[in-house]
């Protein structure tokens, strides 16, 4: 009898997403190989105003699983209201949905 310790570790779950999640609209570029690059996003702020962010610097990109759902997580620096903020943009592939995770 084998227990299979160490099997399927390439698809390990990343746990719970920490930080404040906001639904966003994201314009992105898909290469012919399927690589995604976020170009612009729109997010609603606490006052209900929709902010457009054109300055997105992607620092890294990683495939992750959250609660068994496949996603791409982008570690980014965005410029909003002339402030640079570190955020994570998460693209849920199966749902075709984007969220912005911030720590502010």
């Amino acid at each position: 009898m084998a227990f299979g310790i160490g099997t399927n570790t390439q698809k390990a779950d990343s746990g719970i997403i920490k930080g404040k999640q906001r639904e966003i609209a994201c314009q992105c570029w898909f290469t012919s190989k399927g690589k995604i690059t976020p170009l612009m996003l729109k997010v609603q702020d606490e006052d209900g105003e929709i902010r457009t962010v054109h300055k997105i610097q992607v620092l890294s990109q990683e495939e992750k699983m959250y609660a068994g759902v496949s996603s791409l997580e982008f570690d980014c620096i965005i410029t909003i209201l002339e402030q640079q903020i570190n955020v994570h943009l998460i693209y849920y592939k199966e749902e075709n949905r984007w969220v912005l995770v911030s720590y502010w």
Side-chain angles (χ1 to χ4, degrees):
M1 176 182 273
F3 291 101
I5 296 175
T7 59
N8 296 328
T9 55
Q10 70 277 12
K11 294 283 187 176
D13 197 89
S14 296
I16 298 171
I17 298 173
K18 296 174 179 70
K20 185 174 184 178
Q21 293 185 54
R22 299 169 193 236
E23 298 284 330
I24 63 168
C26 185
Q27 177 185 25
C28 54
W29 175 261
F30 287 83
T31 68
S32 62
K33 305 277 186 208
K35 184 176 185 232
I36 302 172
T37 303
L39 301 175
M40 182 268 298
L41 64 90
K42 290 189 177 194
V43 61
Q44 189 171 16
D45 66 13
E46 293 84 13
D47 299 327
E49 190 172 335
I50 297 192
R51 303 280 180 184
T52 301
V53 177
H54 291 284
K55 295 182 181 178
I56 303 172
Q57 178 186 0
V58 178
L59 303 174
S60 65
Q61 175 181 338
E62 184 178 359
E63 287 199 38
K64 291 196 172 182
M65 297 284 282
Y66 291 109
V69 178
S70 179
S71 64
L72 283 173
E73 184 172 300
F74 299 85
D75 182 18
C76 302
I77 295 175
I78 63 171
T79 303
I80 189 165
L81 297 175
E82 299 191 26
Q83 292 183 336
Q84 290 188 335
I85 302 166
N86 189 281
V87 298
H88 287 171
L89 301 179
I90 301 176
Y91 175 61
Y92 294 102
K93 297 177 186 181
E94 295 171 9
E95 301 170 10
N96 200 26
R97 177 174 71 93
W98 287 87
V99 296
L100 178 142
V101 180
S102 63
Y103 306 99
W104 40 275

